Amino acid sequence: MRKIVLMTSVSLDGFIEGPDREIDWHMVDDELHSHFNEQLRPMGAFLSGRVSYELMAEFWPTADSDPSSTGPMVEFASIWRDMPKIVYSRTLERADWNTTIVRDVVDDEVMALKAQPGGDLALGGADLAAAFMERDLIDEYRIFVHPVLIGRGKPLFQGTDTMTRLRLLETRTFGNGVVLLRHQRADTSPR
C-alpha cells in the first residue's frame, strides 16, 4: 500500500509561512533542492490544497525555460509537470498540468487512492495537511526545519484531539543549516 508522506518546510518556531503568506525565508539552495527532487521523483502523485496548487502552477510549468533557473529547478519543473496531481478544493473550477480536482477529503477515497499501484503520495499545504492529520491519514512526516525564527504566521501543526505516536527514521543536516526530521507512524502499518 502506498504511503501518504507530508513533506514540508517550517521555521524553527513551527510556521510554514509568515503572516502575509510569505515564504521568502525558505533556504532552498541547490543541495536541498536536489534532495527534494530525489525524494519527489519516484512519488505517485502530489496531493495539495488549492492555494499550494495555484502557487506551484503559477511558476513551475515554465520554470525550466527561465534562464535564471538553477539545474535543480529545471529538473523539478519537469518532475512537477509530469507528476499526477490531486488538488483538494471546493472552489477551483479548472486545473491543468495533469491535475484532478477533488472537493473533499473523504477517508474511504484516500484509502482507495493509497491502495492503487505506484509510488507514495506527497502531501503539501498546511490546511490540507491539517485535514489529513485530523483524520490520522499521514503515514510519514518529512519536516525540513529552517534555521530562522519568523515570530508569527501559519503554524504547521494546529490543535487536534488525535495523538499519533511516531518513530524517528532519519535526521540529516544540510550545508545551509536546514535539518530534516523524518518520522513514520510508530505502528508502521500505513492507515
Side-chain angles (χ1 to χ4, degrees):
M1 183 172 283
R2 304 195 287 184
K3 294 185 295 187
I4 302 285
V5 178
L6 174 61
M7 214 172 137
T8 194
S9 291
V10 299
S11 63
L12 184 60
D13 48 354
F15 298 104
I16 62 142
E17 62 185 32
D20 296 317
R21 303 197 105 142
E22 65 272 14
I23 58 172
D24 57 350
W25 50 268
H26 283 196
M27 300 171 63
V28 181
D29 59 9
D30 283 354
E31 178 194 18
L32 184 56
H33 209 246
S34 293
H35 175 80
F36 291 159
N37 292 349
E38 282 176 28
Q39 299 300 303
L40 294 170
R41 187 179 302 107
M43 292 286 178
F46 292 139
L47 312 178
S48 61
R50 180 191 55 79
V51 172
S52 294
Y53 169 78
E54 287 178 336
L55 285 171
M56 299 295 277
E58 187 177 296
F59 180 75
W60 289 109
T62 59
D64 52 355
S65 63
D66 183 339
S68 68
S69 289
T70 64
M73 291 172 70
V74 168
E75 182 182 2
F76 183 73
S78 174
I79 292 168
W80 189 86
R81 270 194 315 266
D82 295 343
M83 183 72 62
K85 289 168 275 305
I86 298 171
V87 60
Y88 288 83
S89 173
R90 292 186 183 109
T91 59
L92 194 63
E93 295 296 322
R94 182 175 176 278
D96 296 318
W97 309 108
N98 199 15
T99 303
T100 302
I101 299 171
V102 175
R103 295 296 175 205
D104 291 297
V105 177
V106 177
D107 292 18
D108 291 341
E109 291 175 7
V110 172
M111 297 308 288
L113 183 62
K114 288 175 63 171
Q116 293 176 7
D120 291 337
L121 306 165
L123 176 64
D127 293 335
L128 186 60
F132 273 68
M133 281 186 237
E134 183 180 301
R135 292 166 174 78
D136 199 22
L137 293 170
I138 300 174
D139 303 299
E140 186 174 313
Y141 294 80
R142 296 180 193 173
I143 309 299
F144 295 84
V145 182
H146 292 249
V148 61
L149 301 170
I150 64 171
R152 57 191 178 91
K154 182 174 231 166
L156 172 59
F157 297 106
Q158 301 169 15
T160 178
D161 293 329
T162 304
M163 180 168 70
T164 304
R165 297 203 183 274
L166 303 173
R167 182 168 56 94
L168 181 65
L169 297 178
E170 173 188 9
T171 61
R172 177 176 172 182
T173 303
F174 294 88
N176 62 7
V178 171
V179 176
L180 164 63
L181 300 174
R182 182 174 166 227
H183 291 82
Q184 77 175 14
R185 298 171 62 85
D187 62 15
T188 66
S189 60
R191 180 161 140 49

